[in-house]
Amino acid sequence: MAKMFASTCLLISVLSGFLFSCNQQAMQEGGVVEGQTVETTATEGEGMVYDVNLSSLNSEANDGRDVSGTARFEVRDSLLLITVNAEGLEPNTMHLQHLHSFETPADASCPPGMEADTNKDGIIDLIETRQSAGITMIPLHDNPVNMEIKTDTYPTTDNEGKLSYQKTVNLNELSSAYKEKFGMDIDLTRHVIFIHGVGSDASLPASVQSLPDVPAHVTLPVACGAID
């Protein structure tokens, strides 16, 4: 859900490919307008907030745990503040987390239930999410701007399986990197966020698919949320 902090206006400005529209409604400072879908955000002194609820996937493979949590993407001037908080994950483990979407102007969505399990092995693996969610696009690790997927700088859970991630990135740099890699501008509302990873001792069928040279237990999606 996107929330707009703005005064009465209709403003279109370009910030590294981001399109910002102010709502035509007078509001007191700190007020919000709910239920709006926006492509981007922000000018000086104003910002957008995208809140995401995370839903559990593959709980049986995750030792029966249901992952829950939230993510927030807040635009302030030329910065994007990213926050992810989740629980129910494999404890003391680094968990990959990414924004997924398509390399075309199409909206991603989380897997629509077990019908996404096309090979009927009881698991919705990373490759099976591609039909609804597309590919891995923006990594949420120590340096999202470098767009590197394979790295050991993703967040690690505590001994209770809780994950806390906060990162501030420069929108100009992220937009440039995104456009260079995918040939289009960023629209956060086209993406979903996945958190990946179960225990290395998880009993997974041999049919569970993953990225080349990456074990399936590392990439297995355990939570998903749409950025609406």
Side-chain angles (χ1 to χ4, degrees), residues 169-196:
V169 300
N170 184 289
L171 274 178
N172 293 337
E173 296 175 359
L174 182 62
S175 179
S176 295
Y178 188 97
K179 191 164 188 175
E180 179 179 356
K181 186 168 185 178
F182 301 113
M184 57 185 176
D185 298 326
I186 297 175
D187 177 352
L188 287 178
T189 64
R190 293 182 49 248
H191 297 74
V192 299
I193 177 175
F194 278 107
I195 298 179
H196 306 265

Side-chain angles (χ1 to χ4, degrees), residues 35-56:
Q36 296 194 12
T37 299
V38 296
E39 292 187 355
T40 56
T41 55
T43 58
E44 184 176 358
E46 298 174 300
M48 291 296 306
V49 178
Y50 305 83
D51 285 325
V52 182
N53 291 319
L54 299 171
S55 297
S56 187

Side-chain angles (χ1 to χ4, degrees), residues 157-178:
T157 49
D158 63 17
N159 57 14
E160 295 181 346
K162 295 180 179 180
L163 178 150
S164 180
Y165 171 84
Q166 291 183 320
K167 182 61 59 175
T168 301
V169 300
N170 184 289
L171 274 178
N172 293 337
E173 296 175 359
L174 182 62
S175 179
S176 295
Y178 188 97

Side-chain angles (χ1 to χ4, degrees), residues 115-181:
E115 57 261 43
D117 176 24
T118 55
N119 64 6
K120 306 304 179 185
D121 61 3
I123 299 291
I124 301 173
D125 61 45
L126 175 64
I127 307 306
E128 289 171 328
T129 68
R130 289 180 175 175
Q131 183 173 355
S132 64
I135 63 170
T136 301
M137 302 192 89
I138 302 177
L140 303 181
H141 51 46
D142 189 57
N143 184 16
V145 172
N146 68 22
M147 305 294 283
E148 293 181 5
I149 304 303
K150 294 183 180 181
T151 176
D152 61 357
T153 65
Y154 291 96
T156 298
T157 49
D158 63 17
N159 57 14
E160 295 181 346
K162 295 180 179 180
L163 178 150
S164 180
Y165 171 84
Q166 291 183 320
K167 182 61 59 175
T168 301
V169 300
N170 184 289
L171 274 178
N172 293 337
E173 296 175 359
L174 182 62
S175 179
S176 295
Y178 188 97
K179 191 164 188 175
E180 179 179 356
K181 186 168 185 178

Side-chain angles (χ1 to χ4, degrees), residues 19-83:
L19 178 65
F20 172 69
S21 295
C22 292
N23 183 265
Q24 291 182 317
Q25 178 178 355
M27 303 176 62
Q28 295 180 347
E29 183 178 356
V32 298
V33 174
E34 299 187 0
Q36 296 194 12
T37 299
V38 296
E39 292 187 355
T40 56
T41 55
T43 58
E44 184 176 358
E46 298 174 300
M48 291 296 306
V49 178
Y50 305 83
D51 285 325
V52 182
N53 291 319
L54 299 171
S55 297
S56 187
L57 291 171
N58 295 311
S59 60
E60 290 188 8
N62 187 32
D63 200 24
R65 293 180 291 252
D66 286 322
V67 178
S68 61
T70 60
R72 169 170 284 199
F73 301 86
E74 181 177 359
V75 179
R76 289 292 181 186
D77 302 326
S78 61
L79 301 177
L80 176 64
L81 289 66
I82 307 169
T83 304

